[in-house]
């Protein structure tokens, strides 16, 4: 169907967002009130906002054009709400004034199932044009609305950086700039979920100024395998909590015992399929598919990654995937191996990174040098480290920890510290009994490792 329609009035609803900090404003523009070329406003699938949605004609070139009225020039996040009841992606060219990027609009499962997908951009003061044009013969998806979020100077980490992607051996933001993320890992969700509440996550985003939360979901040890529904829902919730605060979230498949990731392959397929289907429109996720493989060779780990990654990519073409390495993600060093086995036989996928974990009181120069060498050859992400021994307990070695932190700053290696809980061990940042009531901000309830790492997360970001 070819049909063109112009509506003069734009329905713009200004709402204050729920973000704790910094202050943000969001403006909603309904697609049915925008300029439509080769499409029609309809309302026959439930769940839309406003009075309906736009059904794009199934042709290349059909578009919806929004005219935004923006208060001040600066960074903004554009969030499209859409449904695509087919299983085929319906990519669109998103032109913001004179700059065009392509965005995927994969299937949402049904025409009445609406999802959001975002991109970051820079807007002028005053009028701006955003045109979403179908680039394939399937046309566009059904488009419900566009929400435009603008923040105070700097904004949140996600506002500043948008969708991440691996660029060479580095992590880059949506604008192609090499960046480093710093943040905290949760402890196991089966034990310390009570440390992840509104107040503690507000403190992590606002007081600690963390860029990233790692959501550590164990599989065994009373974790996921005992109740997949409960633990998957906990992960969904924490993804939403991180997103609401403008933080990145690492979905950590925390396999540990047994150490062969293939033991949990079918569970991982089920879990990541649901996560990717639900969240593929978000721009703030990373998927860590094997926490710490151990007792198995690199080729066994690689075989697992080569099987699981295509399952995730079916639903989520964009989210970076983090792959654990041999011997508790030591790049093999704890088994007497090294990064060369990965360089010689990498995982067959793009937009992936390899993980390295270290505990500074146990892992000295050999480990430090391995990380340094590896980071020049393959994309590296430190998804866990502690200032103490490998058990997460015992005395801190802050001198060696600082050498690692300096190296990671110099090479822009993103890092996450273990762990944001009140467990008794020295590596849990809060003193016992802090959860669930806090206080979480400031240093009054922090152990020495917590004071040290909070200082290093709070320092200014390089983006
Ligand atoms: C179906 C659906 C429409 C949708 C169309 C399409 O007809 O009901 O809402 O727009 O498919 O494929 O684009």
């Amino acid at each position: 169907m070819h049909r063109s329609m112009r509506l003069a009035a734009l329905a713009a609803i200004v709402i204050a967002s729920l973000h704790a900090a910094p202050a943000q404003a969001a403006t909603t523009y309904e697609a049915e009130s925008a300029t439509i070329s080769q499409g029609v406003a309809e309302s026959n699938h439930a769940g839309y906002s406003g009075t309906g949605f736009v059904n794009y004609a199934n042709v290349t070139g059909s578009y919806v054009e929004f005219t935004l009225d923006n208060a001040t020039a600066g960074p903004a996040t554009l969030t499209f709400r859409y449904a695509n009841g087919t299983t085929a992606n319906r990519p669109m060219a998103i032109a913001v004034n004179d700059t065009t990027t392509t965005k995927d609009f994969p299937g949402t499962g049904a025409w009445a199932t609406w999802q959001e997908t975002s991109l970051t951009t820079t807007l002028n003061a005053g009028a701006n044009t955003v045109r979403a044009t179908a680039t394939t013969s399937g046309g566009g998806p059904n488009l419900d609305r566009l929400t435009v979020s603008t923040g105070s100077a700097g904004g949140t980490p996600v506002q500043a950086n948008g969708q991440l992607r691996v660029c060479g051996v580095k992590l880059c933001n949506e604008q192609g700039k090499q960046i480093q993320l710093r943040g905290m890992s949760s402890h196991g969700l089966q034990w310390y979920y009570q440390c992840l509440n509104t107040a503690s996550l507000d403190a992590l985003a606002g007081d600690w100024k963390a860029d990233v939360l790692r959501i550590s979901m164990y599989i065994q040890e009373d974790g996921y395998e005992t109740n997949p529904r409960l633990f998957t829902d906990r992960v969904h919730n924490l993804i939403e909590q991180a997103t609401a605060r403008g933080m990145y979230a690492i979905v950590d498949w925390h396999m540990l015992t047994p150490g062969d990731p293939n033991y949990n392959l079918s569970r991982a397929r089920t879990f990541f399929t649901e996560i990717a289907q639900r969240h593929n429109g978000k721009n703030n996720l990373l998927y860590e598919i094997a926490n710490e493989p151990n007792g198995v060779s690199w080729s066994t780990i690689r075989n697992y990654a080569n099987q699981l990654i295509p399952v995730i990519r079916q639903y989520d073409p964009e989210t970076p995937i983090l792959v654990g390495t041999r011997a508790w993600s030591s790049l093999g060093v704890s088994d007497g191996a090294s990064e060369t086995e990965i360089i010689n036989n990498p995982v067959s996928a793009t937009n992936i990174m390899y993980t390295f974990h270290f505990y500074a009181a146990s892992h000295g120069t050999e480990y430090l040098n391995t990380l340094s060498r590896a980071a020049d050859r393959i994309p590296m992400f430190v998804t866990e480290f502690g200032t103490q021994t490998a058990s997460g307990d015992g005395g801190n070695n802050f001198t060696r920890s600082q050498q690692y932190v300096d190296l990671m700053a110099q090479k822009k290696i993103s890092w996450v510290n273990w762990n944001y809980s009140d467990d008794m061990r020295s590596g849990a940042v809060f003193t016992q009994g802090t959860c669930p009531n806090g206080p979480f901000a400031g240093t009054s309830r922090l152990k020495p490792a917590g004071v040290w790492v909070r200082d290093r997360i709070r320092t200014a970001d390089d983006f």
Side-chain angles (χ1 to χ4, degrees), residues 159-236:
Q159 268 196 314
N161 294 299
Q163 176 65 53
L164 305 175
R165 41 183 84 82
V166 180
C167 49
V169 295
K170 305 288 190 200
L171 183 63
C172 280
N173 68 14
E174 194 164 319
Q175 296 84 42
K177 182 181 180 192
Q178 296 178 357
I179 61 157
Q180 181 200 37
L181 302 179
R182 287 167 290 146
M184 290 301 298
S185 178
S186 75
H187 204 317
L189 301 187
Q190 75 274 45
W191 299 309
Y192 291 98
Y193 194 54
Q194 68 278 12
C195 291
L196 303 163
N197 56 40
T198 301
S200 71
L201 294 172
D202 282 351
L204 187 62
D207 177 57
W208 287 57
K209 303 189 193 308
D211 308 318
V212 55
L213 168 70
R214 180 181 188 239
I215 302 167
S216 187
M217 187 192 70
Y218 280 68
I219 322 309
Q220 277 73 42
E221 301 174 64
D222 298 328
Y224 175 87
E225 68 174 3
T226 66
N227 192 337
R229 187 69 268 138
L230 176 88
F231 285 100
T232 307
D233 285 343
R234 286 184 177 185
V235 173
H236 285 316

Side-chain angles (χ1 to χ4, degrees), residues 8-239:
L10 284 176
I13 306 154
V14 178
I15 53 167
S17 104
L18 299 173
H19 292 198
Q24 280 190 296
T27 308
T28 296
Y29 300 87
E30 292 293 342
E32 66 273 19
S33 306
T35 300
I36 304 166
S37 174
Q38 302 187 87
V40 59
E42 290 180 346
S43 57
N44 57 328
H45 299 297
Y48 52 80
S49 63
T51 57
F53 54 85
V54 172
N55 168 357
Y56 278 70
N58 301 113
V59 293
T60 302
S62 47
Y63 70 79
V64 173
E65 183 176 292
F66 301 89
T67 304
L68 316 185
D69 182 19
N70 191 43
T72 47
T77 301
L78 306 183
T79 302
F80 295 92
R81 187 166 190 265
Y82 78 100
N84 175 358
T86 75
T87 52
N89 183 21
R90 292 198 174 173
M92 296 206 283
I94 311 296
V96 180
N97 301 318
D98 296 331
T99 309
T100 304
T101 51
T102 302
K103 189 92 195 132
D104 289 319
F105 290 83
T108 58
W111 290 109
T113 302
W114 302 88
Q115 280 189 8
E116 295 194 322
T117 186
S118 301
L119 66 108
T120 60
T121 189
T122 307
L123 296 178
N124 304 323
N128 292 262
T129 304
V130 176
R131 182 186 288 194
T133 307
T135 60
T136 60
S137 57
N142 286 349
L143 188 62
D144 182 31
R145 67 175 184 222
L146 166 64
T147 304
V148 181
S149 310
T150 52
S152 53
T156 66
V158 177
Q159 268 196 314
N161 294 299
Q163 176 65 53
L164 305 175
R165 41 183 84 82
V166 180
C167 49
V169 295
K170 305 288 190 200
L171 183 63
C172 280
N173 68 14
E174 194 164 319
Q175 296 84 42
K177 182 181 180 192
Q178 296 178 357
I179 61 157
Q180 181 200 37
L181 302 179
R182 287 167 290 146
M184 290 301 298
S185 178
S186 75
H187 204 317
L189 301 187
Q190 75 274 45
W191 299 309
Y192 291 98
Y193 194 54
Q194 68 278 12
C195 291
L196 303 163
N197 56 40
T198 301
S200 71
L201 294 172
D202 282 351
L204 187 62
D207 177 57
W208 287 57
K209 303 189 193 308
D211 308 318
V212 55
L213 168 70
R214 180 181 188 239
I215 302 167
S216 187
M217 187 192 70
Y218 280 68
I219 322 309
Q220 277 73 42
E221 301 174 64
D222 298 328
Y224 175 87
E225 68 174 3
T226 66
N227 192 337
R229 187 69 268 138
L230 176 88
F231 285 100
T232 307
D233 285 343
R234 286 184 177 185
V235 173
H236 285 316
N237 173 46
L238 290 168
I239 289 173

Side-chain angles (χ1 to χ4, degrees), residues 251-382:
V251 178
D252 165 29
W253 182 253
H254 204 84
M255 52 68 55
L256 183 60
T257 310
D260 183 351
N262 294 289
Y263 178 83
N264 288 306
L265 176 60
S266 77
R267 291 183 190 90
R269 278 201 180 105
T270 303
F271 172 77
F272 278 109
T273 295
E274 181 173 324
I275 293 293
Q277 280 183 320
R278 172 96 59 112
H279 302 288
N280 61 13
K282 291 193 171 64
N283 63 353
N284 64 321
L285 299 187
L286 300 112
Y287 299 142
E288 183 174 0
I289 60 172
N291 161 53
E292 290 190 350
N294 58 87
V296 291
S297 67
W298 166 243
S299 66
T300 298
I301 302 164
R302 180 180 179 273
N303 184 37
Y304 164 80
N306 283 343
Q307 292 182 74
L308 182 59
I309 291 171
V311 175
I312 298 174
R313 286 291 179 241
Q314 255 183 281
Y315 306 106
D316 186 336
E318 284 190 320
T319 295
I321 293 176
L322 311 177
V323 182
T325 60
R326 181 171 164 190
W328 298 277
S329 290
S330 70
L331 283 165
V333 183
S334 293
D335 270 355
S338 77
E339 78 283 5
T340 54
E341 62 186 13
I342 301 173
I343 294 168
N344 292 338
N345 196 20
V347 169
S348 313
T350 55
N351 207 26
I352 64 157
M353 307 185 89
Y354 300 94
T355 70
F356 185 74
H357 293 179
F358 67 87
Y359 285 81
S362 299
H363 302 138
T365 317
E366 193 190 353
Y367 288 77
L368 186 70
N369 291 343
T370 301
L371 174 61
S372 179
R373 278 195 321 267
D376 294 340
R377 303 291 303 277
I378 50 179
M380 294 302 307
F381 197 123
V382 170

